Amino acid sequence: MKKRVLAACKQAVAIKLADLKNQLKDLQESANDDSKSAMGDKYETGRAMVHLEQENLMTRYSELSNQLETLHALSTEDTTTIQNGSLINTDHGKFYMSVGLGKIDLESDSVFAIASNSPIGKELFGKSAGTSVMVNGRTYTILWVK
């Protein structure tokens, strides 16, 4: 199951990266069209807005690229204590210690992809089956770790 979760996480990030590439391409085409037809202050304002949006998209693209690199570095070997790459089953659901992607739906199950620096990730990291942790007033009992 861990391999399927990892593959689903990689696919989710790859889809987001492809979407950002398309947005950047569309933005560049829009900027090129504006520069051909606009003049004066309106042109400069529009150009500045496009540039700002490009910077925002590039920042997000860089973050997603880093997430994909992190995912590629994860091991699919079973673990007994929670670390990056661990699949964790608790009494409140399954978690995958990787990057913060949120809910990942598989064909028969759902897993929450969490980062080790998230509130729940910090509490779970280094723990093993049978341990309980408290996050935001909710107790999570670890049933198993893989």
Side-chain angles (χ1 to χ4, degrees):
M1 178 176 185
K2 191 190 284 194
K3 288 181 182 180
R4 286 194 341 251
V5 174
L6 179 57
C9 288
K10 287 178 182 177
Q11 181 181 17
V13 173
I15 289 169
K16 289 178 183 181
L17 281 169
D19 183 49
L20 279 177
K21 265 187 183 177
N22 288 334
Q23 287 180 43
L24 282 165
K25 180 182 164 210
D26 292 346
L27 197 59
Q28 186 59 50
E29 288 173 1
S30 174
N32 291 343
D33 289 345
D34 284 349
S35 67
K36 293 176 186 172
S37 63
M39 294 172 39
D41 289 343
K42 180 180 172 188
Y43 166 73
E44 290 302 323
T45 301
R47 198 171 146 106
M49 289 175 66
V50 166
H51 182 69
L52 184 60
E53 184 63 20
Q54 283 175 321
E55 285 180 358
N56 290 338
L57 290 174
M58 288 303 296
T59 298
R60 183 73 183 126
Y61 190 87
S62 177
E63 290 168 357
L64 286 169
S65 294
N66 289 340
Q67 285 184 343
L68 193 57
E69 281 181 33
T70 299
L71 290 169
H72 282 296
L74 294 178
S75 171
T76 55
E77 298 297 318
D78 285 351
T79 61
T80 55
T81 59
I82 298 172
Q83 57 191 330
N84 286 327
S86 293
L87 184 62
I88 307 121
N89 189 22
T90 73
D91 57 342
H92 293 294
K94 292 183 176 92
F95 298 91
Y96 182 55
M97 189 72 70
S98 56
V99 295
L101 295 176
K103 187 177 180 183
I104 302 292
D105 289 314
L106 303 171
E107 54 275 352
S108 62
D109 216 348
S110 293
V111 176
F112 289 90
I114 60 171
S116 59
N117 63 351
S118 67
I120 192 165
K122 287 177 185 176
E123 291 298 321
L124 289 171
F125 203 87
K127 305 292 189 299
S128 56
T131 307
S132 294
V133 298
M134 175 89 71
V135 180
N136 296 330
R138 187 176 206 180
T139 301
Y140 293 80
T141 301
I142 302 165
L143 304 175
W144 51 255
V145 178
K146 290 186 179 186

